[in-house]
Structures are given as structure tokens and as C-alpha cells.
Amino acid sequence: MSTLILDGCAIVSMDSGRSEHASGHIVVTGNRITAIGPGAAPRQSRTADPDTRVLDAGGCLATPGLINTHHHLYQWATMGAAADSTLFEWLTALYPVWARLDAETVQAAATAALGWLARSGCTTTMDHHYVFPRSGGDVLGATVAAAADVGVRFHPTRGSMDLGKRSGGLPPDSVVESRDEILTATQDAIERFHDPSPESMVRIGVAPCSPFTVTGELMTEAAELARRHGLRLHTHLAETADEEDFCRQRFGCTPVEYVDSLGWLGEDVWLAHAVHLDDRAIARLGATGTGVAHCPSSNGRLGAGVCRSRALLEAGVPVGLGVDGAASSEATSLLGEVRMAVLVARAAGGPKAMSVRQALELATLGGARVLGREAEIGSLEPGKLADIALWRLDGLPHSAIADPVVALVLGAPAPLELLLVNGEPVVEQDRLVRVAEDQVTAAARRAATRLRSPA
Ligand SMILES: [Zn+2]
């Protein structure tokens, strides 16, 4: 088993005591962290294995790999469209384009999206794919293949829409599926891809899209299917005022009351956005242990509103960060979301609303909790999986910031010296290691062009 020692770096562990070291070491053996502490690595860890690689990490900060709790990878191919629209306008403009998606386009878009996400420090990401055109081929399989190529830990969710325009929903009928088709395809995805083991690189989730694109019957049956298999549940909720109006008119209640009535709150559920919540809804999420994927850039880009992240945390809600799809959040930098989370929380709730360390915690431990993986990832501790981001902070933009966490969270985007996933390098010196970036870029550009102007 190979050994890698990161030596001389600052470390933010996110362990139970929130230990930090100004200069310390991390020993990685195989796919796990075997030692971590202040000062240089002990002599025996250097000499036990003749193939040990020692990396002089002076000038760098090691953090747990960042964990992304909301994304739509396919949207890389429609980035920048409808740039000044509301959510409902934006969706209505994009549904007909997404109706032309196929596996080749999705694989090119997903590889680019995952590569860029890794370049921003992400070691584990979910994906919420909910557009399955009839002649599109195996689009979910394409995302799983893309994640294996790039090398990130992957939680794809089988999304769905069964409430088309004809039945009072938002999407055109051409992009919705029947309930039977969705449940059969979800079962199939579980059988093909789901790995429940502690070291798993692929775990499936079940994710009907939103109250205005999915029937209550599908929500209920999808939850039953997921719970039979011990899978997690995900959906968009309380993103915009328009959605709140839709729920009040159609169901006579708020979005949280609606999903509560369908059995969709609990420790195995996480909700994307959760912006428009009153105190009662927040208390209910806290009492049920329902998680939230906080996506500050996307909420700003679509003018959806400001998530009450401070109140959610005070209520004990597990909160992670999400970049959301590239079509509503073009930068899709997970490190960028850490910075946005601080700035948005403070802009809305004052200077004490969120600390820089709390924001980093959302992107690491918080995300691990939301995805149900806090026993394996989210902190740097002996025995945990070696998902580690090593940020270079000795260059010009950070040269005068004494606290490395402040430099990382509030400073200019930091270069990534090394990103390890499951002990394997995925990024080195700001370049993807396992795929050729120029080829990924060219394929994504071709896919986006093809989707915009079909033959
Ligand atoms: Zn979304």
C-alpha cells in the first residue's frame, strides 16, 4: 500500500475539537488518513515503506475535501442562457433546449462540470439529473462514467418530472415521464450503480424535481422506494416566491407543509435552497433533522432571495453548500460558495451571522452530514477516507493575510496544489490529473454548440 506524507502545511482538521495546526503533517496510507498532527511526520512513518512519497507542503493549507450538496451537471451545456430571468422564466426558456439532451452531450457536460468542481476543491459531489428525453439514451450512466473519469466521489440522484403543462405543471409535456417509467428507471439505477459500502465512490439518491414539476403521488411512491433501499431523498424546495404562490394556490399550504404531508421530512431527506421559510418551517426542519443544500450564488443569480442560514443552523438543521447547476450559477466554484455563504449571511444578518470557519464547516462536515457520510468524510482524522484539499496560500493574492483560513475563505480564489480523493491525486498544481483538460474543454464546447443549434 502506498504512503504519502504532506509535510509542513497548515491544517484545519474539522475534527470534534476543531483542531488546527499552524505547521503540521498528514500521513495517507492507501485510501485512508493514518496520522495527522503538529510538526513533522514521525520518523517511522517516513521509513516504514520505501515507496513513501513526502510532499513539502510549506506555504499550503490542508482542509477536508469540499462536499457539494446540489448540482445539475448537464447544465454546463447551457451555461449563460437567459441571464437576466426569474426562475420560472429561465426554466421555461431552457426546457425545450434540455429536451434535446442525449448521453453524449450529458457526458461531455458532466465531465467538464466535474473537472471544474474538482479544480475548486470538491472531492464529493451529488448530481440532480431530472431531464430524461425518450431518445436520449443512458444519460444517468453518462454522469456516472464522467465521475469515474475525473475521479471524484459521486452521489448521483435519479431525478424526475411527471407534472407537465397539461396537468397544471410548469414543464412542457415533452420533457416529463410517467410515474411508472420513473420508478422503474430509479430501481434500475439503484441496481446498476448504488454501492452502500463505507468506501463507496457511487451512491444513488432519489430526487423528484420540485412541487411544480412533480405530482404528490410520485413524491410518496419515490419516498417509499428510496426508504425500502435505505437511500436518501432530495428535492428542490422553497426556492422562490413564485413557488410559494404555486403551493398556496394548488395545495392550500406552504411548500414545507406540503412536503411534510407527503412524508418528505426526516434525517434521510435534504432540500435544495430552502430560501422562503418562516420560523415554523425552520423549527420543523430542525425537529425532523431534514438537511438543506444552501446555494447562495444561484439564489443571487436568479434573484430568488436570501436563505436564512443562521436561523437554520441555530435550529440544528444540517446545512451543506451547493454550487447548483452551471446554467443558474455560471462560476460553479465550491470554494466560491464558501465565500458567498459568509458574505450573504452577513449582508442579511449582520457581522456575527456567520464566521469564516463556520462557512468552511458547511462545505466540509456540513456537506458530509447532509449526504449521510460524516463517519467517512468531511474531516481530517485518522481512519477517515483520504479526501483532502491542499491549497497554496503563499502567492501574491494571499501574501499579507496571517490567518490561512481567512485567506482561503475571504481571499482571492486559492490555487490548488493537490486534491486527493480516496487517496488518489485528482488535481495537481491546478490541473486535472486523470483527464486531459484541453480535450474536456473542446468536447464541452462542441456539446454546447450542438445543443444550441441542432442539425
Ligand atoms: Zn437546482
Side-chain angles (χ1 to χ4, degrees):
M1 216 178 286
S2 66
T3 299
L4 170 67
I5 299 175
L6 308 180
D7 226 359
C9 47
I11 299 171
V12 177
S13 71
M14 292 292 165
D15 65 9
S16 58
R18 302 296 184 269
S19 310
E20 296 186 13
H21 307 295
S23 177
H25 65 272
I26 302 173
V27 182
V28 172
T29 308
N31 67 347
R32 291 196 183 267
I33 297 166
T34 48
I36 180 167
R43 182 181 289 271
Q44 69 267 26
S45 60
R46 293 168 184 273
T47 51
D49 175 355
D51 292 331
T52 296
R53 178 184 167 208
V54 181
L55 183 75
D56 176 2
C60 294
L61 168 67
T63 69
L66 308 186
I67 296 168
N68 182 43
T69 60
H70 189 63
H71 208 333
H72 311 284
L73 299 172
Y74 74 91
Q75 289 183 7
W76 190 273
T78 55
M79 208 193 283
D84 301 311
S85 302
T86 69
L87 174 68
F88 280 17
E89 289 166 359
W90 173 89
L91 282 169
T92 309
L94 282 167
Y95 284 137
V97 184
W98 296 339
R100 298 196 291 269
L101 284 173
D102 59 23
E104 188 187 349
T105 303
V106 169
Q107 181 147 358
T111 306
L114 289 162
W116 183 240
L117 206 55
R119 290 268 313 272
S120 75
C122 176
T123 49
T124 298
T125 184
M126 69 81 72
D127 181 43
H128 186 184
H129 192 96
Y130 55 85
V131 187
F132 292 89
R134 257 164 239 297
S135 55
D138 183 13
V139 293
L140 192 72
T143 66
V144 174
D149 287 347
V150 174
V152 297
R153 209 177 289 285
F154 196 37
H155 283 226
T157 60
R158 209 301 178 174
S160 51
M161 301 192 288
D162 74 333
L163 185 68
K165 216 172 196 137
R166 201 172 34 208
S167 314
L170 191 70
D173 293 299
S174 60
V175 294
V176 304
E177 302 169 277
S178 75
R179 198 155 81 237
D180 281 350
E181 285 171 330
I182 290 163
L183 294 169
T184 303
T186 306
Q187 177 73 38
D188 180 58
I190 297 166
E191 285 164 15
R192 286 175 70 199
F193 302 120
H194 184 64
D195 172 7
S197 72
E199 301 186 352
S200 175
M201 291 296 287
V202 182
R203 283 202 194 159
I204 294 285
V206 179
C209 190
S210 68
F212 51 88
T213 57
V214 169
T215 61
E217 291 83 357
L218 176 60
M219 293 288 282
T220 305
E221 289 182 36
E224 284 168 8
L225 174 64
R227 287 176 174 143
R228 266 205 307 281
H229 292 276
L231 304 189
R232 296 181 93 74
L233 289 158
H234 180 62
T235 193
H236 292 100
L237 203 79
E239 182 175 1
T240 62
D242 286 343
E243 180 192 327
E244 169 117 9
D245 292 346
F246 179 93
C247 287
R248 286 195 185 279
Q249 276 168 26
R250 193 174 168 99
F251 312 118
C253 59
T254 67
V256 168
E257 287 166 348
Y258 172 59
V259 296
D260 200 358
S261 75
L262 298 171
W264 262 77
L265 296 181
E267 288 177 358
D268 57 353
V269 180
W270 87 104
L271 308 170
H273 306 301
V275 169
H276 295 269
L277 302 182
D278 57 19
D279 292 347
R280 230 172 56 171
I282 289 176
R284 187 77 186 122
L285 296 190
T288 53
T290 308
V292 164
H294 173 33
C295 308
S297 291
S298 171
N299 296 155
R301 162 35 161 120
L302 291 168
V306 176
C307 173
R308 297 174 63 193
S309 52
R310 167 95 193 183
L312 288 168
L313 291 170
E314 283 175 350
V317 175
V319 179
L321 296 182
V323 298
D324 207 354
S328 71
S329 177
E330 279 71 8
T332 56
S333 158
L334 192 48
L335 178 61
E337 293 306 310
V338 181
R339 184 168 188 270
M340 279 295 289
V342 178
L343 300 185
V344 166
R346 292 184 186 176
K352 302 290 181 195
M354 188 178 292
S355 72
V356 292
R357 282 170 170 76
Q358 260 177 329
L360 187 59
E361 185 169 323
L362 297 189
T364 52
L365 268 185
R369 217 175 139 201
V370 165
L371 296 183
R373 299 205 68 171
E374 65 270 40
E376 307 141 79
I377 55 175
S379 63
L380 303 178
E381 297 178 70
K384 280 212 165 179
L385 294 169
D387 290 8
I388 304 172
L390 187 67
W391 309 91
R392 182 153 287 288
L393 295 174
D394 57 0
L396 176 63
H398 308 102
S399 52
I401 305 178
D403 181 336
V405 183
V406 173
L408 182 70
V409 174
L410 295 182
L416 203 48
E417 181 66 24
L418 178 68
L419 187 77
L420 292 180
V421 182
N422 218 34
E424 298 286 334
V426 167
V427 179
E428 282 182 8
Q429 295 176 338
D430 261 347
R431 297 292 290 176
L432 295 169
V433 171
R434 298 165 51 132
V435 289
E437 272 195 30
D438 50 351
Q439 289 172 23
V440 172
T441 305
R445 188 179 295 122
R446 278 196 305 273
T449 307
R450 205 164 53 233
L451 202 58
R452 267 196 304 267
S453 2

